Amino acid sequence: MSAHANTEHTGTLSGDYNKGTNGAGMNREMTHEEHQTAKAAARFGYGPLAHTNTASSGERLPAFGGEFQPGLYKGVKDRKFANPAPLGLCAFALTTFVLGLINMGTRGLSAPNLVVGLAFGYGGLIQLLAGMWEMAVGNTFGATALSSYGGFWISFGIIFTPGGFQIESSLNTVAPTEFLDEFGLYLIGWFIFTFILLLCTLKSTVAFFTLFFALDMAFMLLGIGYLKRDAMGAPNPPIIKAGGFFALLAAFMAWYNALAGLADDSNSFFILPVIHFPWSVKGLQARGKLSPDGDKNA
């Protein structure tokens, strides 16, 4: 799934069991029972055999949200960068989590001012940096997604900075609903962009697809909530709350994918299942319909 300091190599011969190497240089061969159990778990995207030593060969690895890779990809040989995906996912998750709670009206909250700090510092700057590091390791999808959502949070912070850029007050001098209409269209634009990314996750994993599906629903519902207002001319409360729910789901799925990319058998007692779709390359390979390189078997 991902490259870690703790590297594994999955043997291809019946007697060549998975060997784990820890930081102290100690090696231990798996027992036959451990190897069979790990092989069964790897079919579902978790377990020690699901972690591949990406520096050992030119093998193409299956889709994995913990690496922000939606399809087959080649690991980074002799990787000098850490995996930036969990950092970007966590920055996105926490900022989205707080805004989702506000949108749902938790404890009577309504103003998104507190999110401004997160939007600039964590969801914006840190996620943008993670996107640039994805560019450095050659991950086009990760670079596009993380950098774009980093830009989203920075722009969100600019829009809602209290007493700062005065965007809302300036637009409301044009017409009472000017800001709500423009902000609704702004969110619909992000819905369209997220839908484009969602299409690229259809052959990946359930965890990765669910993240983008929930985010896409959140943008769509929040955009509609601002455009289709209630009788008082305010953003439609039920629709905004529904958008907030999907934002929370997206936040938790982002954390889930981040943990899947962080946890391995060197630092965790469990490995999170990511569940490859049956029609994904990994799913087809498990059923013997594709070769390890993604080619159709005769």
Side-chain angles (χ1 to χ4, degrees), residues 193-265:
F193 170 73
T194 303
F195 181 74
I196 293 171
L197 296 182
L198 177 67
L199 294 177
C200 295
T201 67
L202 292 173
K203 295 175 68 175
S204 61
T205 67
V206 173
F208 205 37
F209 170 82
T210 304
L211 163 60
F212 283 92
F213 175 77
L215 180 59
D216 207 27
M217 292 297 295
F219 278 129
M220 181 186 71
L221 290 169
L222 292 173
I224 293 173
Y226 274 88
L227 293 172
K228 186 175 176 60
R229 294 176 286 276
D230 61 12
M232 303 297 294
N236 195 297
I239 301 178
I240 295 297
K241 285 186 178 181
F245 167 79
F246 278 102
L248 285 179
L249 178 59
F252 281 109
M253 290 310 303
W255 272 320
Y256 188 94
N257 281 277
L259 180 56
L262 289 169
D264 63 17
D265 52 5

Side-chain angles (χ1 to χ4, degrees), residues 118-134:
L118 280 171
F120 279 125
Y122 196 33
L125 175 62
I126 298 303
Q127 192 175 184
L128 178 61
L129 289 174
M132 293 297 100
W133 287 319
E134 288 284 9

Side-chain angles (χ1 to χ4, degrees), residues 54-200:
T54 59
S56 62
S57 69
E59 182 180 4
R60 299 174 74 195
L61 309 179
F64 180 44
E67 289 270 0
F68 231 79
Q69 294 279 5
L72 285 180
Y73 69 101
K74 288 189 176 181
V76 180
K77 188 175 181 180
D78 300 325
R79 189 174 197 159
K80 296 181 180 179
F81 285 91
N83 176 15
L87 174 63
L89 286 163
C90 288
F92 171 84
L94 180 56
T95 316
T96 305
F97 172 76
V98 175
L99 183 59
L101 290 175
I102 294 173
N103 285 331
M104 292 189 70
T106 306
R107 299 182 66 87
L109 300 174
S110 60
N113 292 358
L114 180 65
V115 183
V116 170
L118 280 171
F120 279 125
Y122 196 33
L125 175 62
I126 298 303
Q127 192 175 184
L128 178 61
L129 289 174
M132 293 297 100
W133 287 319
E134 288 284 9
M135 188 79 73
V137 300
N139 182 4
T140 302
F141 181 88
T144 302
L146 293 178
S147 300
S148 295
Y149 291 125
F152 163 77
W153 283 118
I154 293 173
S155 68
F156 185 93
I158 290 172
I159 293 169
F160 287 100
T161 297
F165 298 90
Q166 300 180 348
I167 293 175
E168 182 174 359
S169 58
S170 298
L171 289 174
N172 286 338
T173 59
V174 178
T177 62
E178 187 79 9
F179 173 77
L180 297 179
D181 285 334
E182 293 194 16
F183 191 68
L185 294 175
Y186 164 88
L187 293 172
I188 293 298
W190 283 103
F191 158 72
I192 296 170
F193 170 73
T194 303
F195 181 74
I196 293 171
L197 296 182
L198 177 67
L199 294 177
C200 295

